[in-house]
Amino acid sequence: MKSQEQNLNLKRISQLVSIVFLFMLIGTVLELYLLGHYEDTLQLVPILCIALSLIFMVALVFTKTLILFRAFKLVLVLTALSGLYGTYLHLQSNFEFEYDMTPTATNWELFLESLSGALPALAPLSMVVLALIGYTYLLITKQKL
């Protein structure tokens, strides 16, 4: 009886994580679109990562193969890396802008100002959170096998 209860709980958790993951995917790509985050080639990277994540998640609903799991894991790693790199790019752009505005400021002052600059410096880290939610979904799905 305990095994059936564990399977039911695991199914509920899997459903909840998949819903959270879907909302995060849709919300993030919608926000990127509304912000016009598609004007440059590098700006398309998070949109591509989200599209691939969505494709792999849907594919995992219908078929669960080792190749699919590994490919999805690779997409999630790339998604997380894109978030880290995006954070670097946002901070760098803000830092350069702040330097142009106040060239006599110290690097620390410029860094602090760049955190709240024109580009949302920490927003790309949502891609890391997205990848972690996707990885959680992957672990739960793999455990159900």
Side-chain angles (χ1 to χ4, degrees), residues 126-138:
S126 66
M127 296 297 287
V128 176
V129 174
L130 183 72
L132 291 173
I133 295 170
Y135 189 68
T136 303
Y137 173 77
L138 189 64

Side-chain angles (χ1 to χ4, degrees), residues 7 12 27 40 42 48 66 69-71 83 108 123-124 126 144-145:
N7 285 341
R12 287 180 181 157
D40 187 7
L42 279 178
L48 179 64
L66 186 59
F69 277 106
R70 288 184 179 163
W108 180 248
S126 66
K144 286 178 17 180
L145 294 176

Side-chain angles (χ1 to χ4, degrees), residues 10-28 50 53-54 57-58 61 72 129-130 132-138 140-141 144:
L10 194 57
K11 183 177 181 180
R12 287 180 181 157
I13 292 170
S14 176
Q15 289 171 343
L16 179 62
V17 171
S18 65
I19 290 169
V20 169
F21 189 54
L22 279 173
F23 271 103
M24 186 82 175
L25 287 169
I26 293 167
T28 304
I50 290 170
S53 295
L54 185 58
M57 185 183 164
V58 170
V61 169
F72 188 37
V129 174
L130 183 72
L132 291 173
I133 295 170
Y135 189 68
T136 303
Y137 173 77
L138 189 64
I140 292 169
T141 303
K144 286 178 17 180

Side-chain angles (χ1 to χ4, degrees), residues 42-54:
L42 279 178
Q43 289 181 327
L44 292 174
V45 171
I47 295 170
L48 179 64
C49 288
I50 290 170
L52 288 173
S53 295
L54 185 58

Side-chain angles (χ1 to χ4, degrees), residues 52-123:
L52 288 173
S53 295
L54 185 58
I55 291 167
F56 279 106
M57 185 183 164
V58 170
L60 280 173
V61 169
F62 296 107
T63 183
K64 293 168 179 45
T65 65
L66 186 59
I67 293 172
L68 200 55
F69 277 106
R70 288 184 179 163
F72 188 37
K73 194 184 293 188
L74 177 64
V75 167
L76 294 173
V77 168
L78 293 174
T79 300
L81 290 174
S82 77
L84 294 174
Y85 187 61
T87 302
Y88 167 76
L89 291 176
H90 282 212
L91 280 171
Q92 181 186 31
S93 294
N94 288 346
F95 189 90
E96 290 171 2
F97 177 78
E98 293 298 332
Y99 179 76
D100 289 342
M101 297 297 289
T102 53
T104 58
T106 65
N107 282 344
W108 180 248
E109 291 169 338
L110 292 171
F111 174 73
L112 289 177
E113 287 298 319
S114 67
L115 287 173
S116 61
L119 296 176
L122 303 179

